[in-house]
Amino acid sequence: MAKEGLRIIVIGGGAAGISAASTAKSVAPDASVTLFTEFEDVAYSPCGIPFVHGREIPDFKSLFLQTPEHYAEIGIDLKLQTKVTGINIERRTVSVGSQEFGWDRLIIATGFEYDKPDIPGIDLEGLYYVKNIRRAMEFDKVLDQIKRVVVVSATPLGIEMAGNLAHRGLETYLVDEGPWLMSKVADPDIMEPVHKSLEEMGVKIHLGTKVLAFKGENGRVKAVSTTGGDIDCELVVVATHKVPNNRIAREAGIKIGATGGIVVDDHMRTSVKDVYAAGDCIEVIHGVTEIPIQGLSGSHAYSQGKVAGANAAGGDRSYDPVFVPWGMVGGKVMIGGVSLGETLHKALGIPHFVAVAEGISRARYYPGVSKIRVKLIADPDTLRVTGAQLVGGEGIKERADFLAFAIKRGATLEDFAWMENVYSPPIGALMEPIALAAQAGLSKLGKLK
Amino acid sequence: MPEKKTFGEWLRKNAEKYLMEAAADEMRKLYPGMCAEPYREKGFSHFFWRKVFVPLYLKIPWSIRKKIILLTSYPPGKRPSWKKTMHAG
């Protein structure tokens, strides 16, 4: 139950912060809700930025979902370009420089920052971090004046940026220390078609290559020095790992977990009473391993923000452990997955069994049909599926969502092997690729009866 | 000023890095045509994590290892409350 005159402060204007503020206001219309963001804008899709650079989307305007005026109309006090510099738990205030603002409930949604490599030249001009839409607009103009760009790290964002910059016609280099693209997320057999597709688009991929320094001239980047030699360039996109932006939470004494994210429970409550947190700055529980993890998608941040906002306003909502369905386009190929892939099962040492098959996305004779490779990873004793990865020309996102839903409910290889599926030549083949993978797995185990 | 990290954060960051390296080496054997030679740092601390920590870690059964990970993730009695899933041991 919300108390009268409740003051809720939200720090951060990304997906988690804006959904927390909106939900808090709808659950407790009489509460005062104030949102602080250090940036100029709120309520846009940063995930769309690479596709504007790639000219798949015509302009940045399309990425905005709401205007600041909308939030004023629904009673949220937006404080743009206002950086919160500290949290005082005892006095229940946040500070902005020398000014203090009081709260009864606080929601921290401070997001992420890039793990900046500690190498020479990191402060040169011409190093770009994809995050803020205003900086993206400036960067986009620079792209019209240059020819060569290096993308550092084959993370999901690095892959998207490399593909989009090549699509725009730039000579694009992608540099990563790992043995295959996105090696911390996806398996090599899933990434192989993406690698080929990016190369076909003209991206020059340097795997097993460490960036040693950024070299400059007159304060501006001119080359990237790597273990494989120097690569001349006019711009660098730094797409390194994202880390939680938790400096003020840590300084305030709020408990930080082993991942570097704020520890929360299933109500998004932190270790401090009446302080909630959501989004990229927190860690949540993985549904298969029960281990805390950090750094998920915008849809996770949005849902967590809703839970934090509702509970801060007096509600009682909970957030389930995550199974992390994911999907994206790499080059011209779709990839996706759920939970852990084969590599992560091996890294954690979880006993597992791999079931793989290739199917097709539509009837074999229908124009536009493409291959889909499905890999299911299962517990060898119970046959309960604990992860999946997919690659293909279409229909990946829907399968990842479905698999996450089914895996959460404990589905086994047996369940998937004999699942019902849609058959309609333009949209689905007679034999569902997920079922084919499960059948192949059972057959390998001698359990296909 | 860099943020002061906890022991748990240091342990997890290093454990993740070297366990992923070991897993990548195994995957390279399974999918040889699809992987490049990865970059590997050299030195005593790397040697310790690769040759001592990883083999020891992988010898412990998963059910016990999971308990150790959770113990190093939270102080005793401070594990936050989350719903149990069907996969929880």
Side-chain angles (χ1 to χ4, degrees):
Chain A
M1 192 74 168
K3 67 175 186 182
E4 227 166 279
L6 185 71
R7 296 168 305 164
I8 299 172
I9 282 184
V10 181
I11 311 174
I18 208 77
S19 69
S22 306
T23 308
K25 195 67 191 171
S26 66
V27 170
D30 295 333
S32 85
V33 178
T34 308
L35 185 147
F36 291 87
T37 173
E38 62 187 283
F39 299 110
E40 300 92 331
D41 308 285
V42 290
Y44 63 86
S45 168
C47 304
I49 290 173
F51 304 96
V52 184
H53 292 321
R55 303 245 163 99
E56 296 277 4
I57 301 169
D59 54 43
F60 287 99
K61 212 168 63 185
S62 334
L63 303 186
F64 283 92
L65 310 165
Q66 285 294 356
T67 59
E69 291 74 31
H70 163 78
Y71 294 103
E73 276 166 26
I74 63 169
I76 295 171
D77 183 8
L78 273 189
K79 297 207 180 293
L80 301 173
Q81 293 178 275
T82 310
K83 186 173 182 173
V84 171
T85 49
I87 300 167
N88 191 313
I89 302 291
E90 276 179 21
R91 286 210 303 271
R92 293 187 159 228
T93 58
V94 295
S95 47
V96 176
S98 58
Q99 265 188 301
E100 288 206 333
F101 298 83
W103 47 265
D104 299 306
R105 307 274 160 78
L106 177 65
I107 303 169
I108 302 169
T110 41
F112 73 91
E113 51 195 4
Y114 287 100
D115 194 6
K116 286 190 182 178
D118 185 18
I119 55 173
I122 193 70
D123 295 322
L124 285 170
E125 266 183 53
L127 267 56
Y128 171 56
Y129 299 87
V130 183
K131 186 174 181 184
N132 175 281
I133 198 161
R134 298 285 173 124
R135 301 298 87 73
M137 289 170 183
E138 290 163 16
F139 174 75
D140 201 69
K141 288 178 194 150
V142 179
L143 287 178
D144 286 332
Q145 300 152 26
I146 64 155
K147 288 197 172 79
R148 284 163 73 104
V149 59
V150 175
V151 179
V152 175
S153 281
T155 55
L157 175 69
I159 302 283
E160 284 184 346
M161 282 301 289
N164 276 290
L165 295 172
H167 184 253
R168 187 164 167 149
L170 291 160
E171 192 178 332
T172 306
Y173 295 78
L174 177 59
V175 182
D176 192 273
E177 292 178 30
W180 65 88
L181 299 174
M182 270 170 57
S183 59
K184 291 187 170 68
V185 182
D187 297 337
D189 54 327
I190 298 301
M191 294 311 294
E192 176 71 359
V194 176
H195 190 120
K196 283 187 181 151
S197 175
L198 285 172
E199 283 189 332
E200 278 165 18
M201 291 172 76
V203 178
K204 295 170 180 72
I205 300 171
H206 298 256
L207 291 171
T209 306
K210 184 179 172 65
V211 173
L212 302 171
F214 300 111
K215 291 183 173 174
E217 207 176 275
N218 301 323
R220 193 163 181 86
V221 72
K222 281 284 165 203
V224 176
S225 171
T226 78
T227 49
D230 286 3
I231 305 170
D232 292 336
C233 64
E234 293 151 281
L235 266 177
V236 176
V237 176
V238 186
T240 45
H241 182 60
K242 295 171 182 177
V243 292
N245 176 15
N246 276 337
R247 185 179 292 271
I248 56 170
R250 196 187 286 270
E251 285 168 358
I254 293 162
K255 171 83 184 144
I256 305 294
T259 66
I262 297 171
V263 175
V264 293
D265 68 5
D266 61 356
H267 279 58
M268 301 290 119
R269 290 179 289 229
T270 70
S271 59
V272 172
K273 190 174 183 299
D274 294 331
V275 179
Y276 298 76
D280 285 327
C281 64
I282 68 167
E283 59 178 37
V284 295
I285 299 302
H286 189 273
V288 169
T289 64
E290 294 187 281
I291 292 171
I293 59 165
Q294 185 280 321
L296 304 173
S297 70
S299 68
H300 289 94
Y302 183 76
S303 302
Q304 292 159 10
K306 287 184 88 140
V307 172
N311 294 336
D316 181 21
R317 288 193 201 171
S318 64
Y319 185 79
D320 284 353
V322 292
F323 288 78
V324 206
W326 63 273
M328 59 178 281
V329 175
K332 291 184 175 162
V333 180
M334 287 184 198
I335 50 172
V338 183
S339 180
L340 314 168
E342 192 181 355
T343 314
L344 275 165
H345 274 83
K346 288 192 190 307
L348 283 161
I350 302 173
H352 63 280
F353 170 79
V354 177
V356 191
E358 265 187 18
I360 47 175
S361 62
R362 311 175 183 193
R364 63 184 165 70
Y365 48 81
Y366 205 88
V369 61
S370 64
K371 277 187 188 172
I372 298 180
R373 180 181 176 85
V374 176
K375 174 152 73 170
L376 302 174
I377 300 124
D379 181 303
D381 295 328
T382 63
L383 300 186
R384 189 172 274 170
V385 176
T386 50
Q389 295 210 337
L390 310 96
V391 57
E394 60 182 357
I396 299 300
K397 179 253 189 274
E398 296 80 359
R399 285 182 174 84
D401 284 343
F402 160 71
L403 283 164
F405 190 81
I407 292 172
K408 183 174 181 174
R409 277 146 191 83
T412 64
L413 284 182
E414 292 270 3
D415 296 324
F416 287 120
W418 314 120
M419 66 183 270
E420 292 179 86
N421 66 280
V422 172
Y423 169 50
S424 173
I427 55 171
L430 184 63
M431 289 177 287
E432 165 54 39
I434 295 172
L436 290 176
Q439 288 166 20
L442 290 176
S443 170
K444 212 160 114 184
L445 288 168
K447 291 185 177 175
L448 189 69
K449 289 168 188 147
Chain B
M1 259 243 307
E3 288 177 66
K4 200 176 169 208
K5 303 285 167 77
T6 62
F7 170 74
E9 285 173 84
W10 172 83
L11 179 63
R12 171 135 177 183
K13 192 177 175 185
N14 281 294
E16 260 182 24
K17 176 181 158 81
Y18 294 97
L19 288 167
M20 285 302 289
E21 268 191 21
D25 287 344
E26 227 180 302
M27 293 296 277
R28 282 168 60 213
K29 286 178 197 150
L30 287 174
Y31 302 93
M34 301 176 185
C35 306
E37 181 78 32
Y39 173 80
R40 294 280 193 262
E41 288 161 300
K42 292 180 178 74
F44 176 74
S45 69
H46 306 295
F47 178 86
F48 164 79
W49 285 99
R50 285 180 192 132
K51 300 293 178 193
V52 181
F53 174 81
V54 171
L56 273 178
Y57 174 94
L58 292 175
K59 278 210 164 71
I60 305 167
W62 166 240
S63 56
I64 298 170
R65 202 178 318 131
K66 187 164 110 175
K67 287 189 178 117
I68 298 171
I69 297 171
L70 290 171
L71 274 174
T72 55
S73 297
Y74 308 108
K78 299 279 183 189
R79 191 171 163 195
S81 151
W82 281 80
K83 194 200 274 180
K84 287 268 175 206
T85 69
M86 296 187 76
H87 297 264

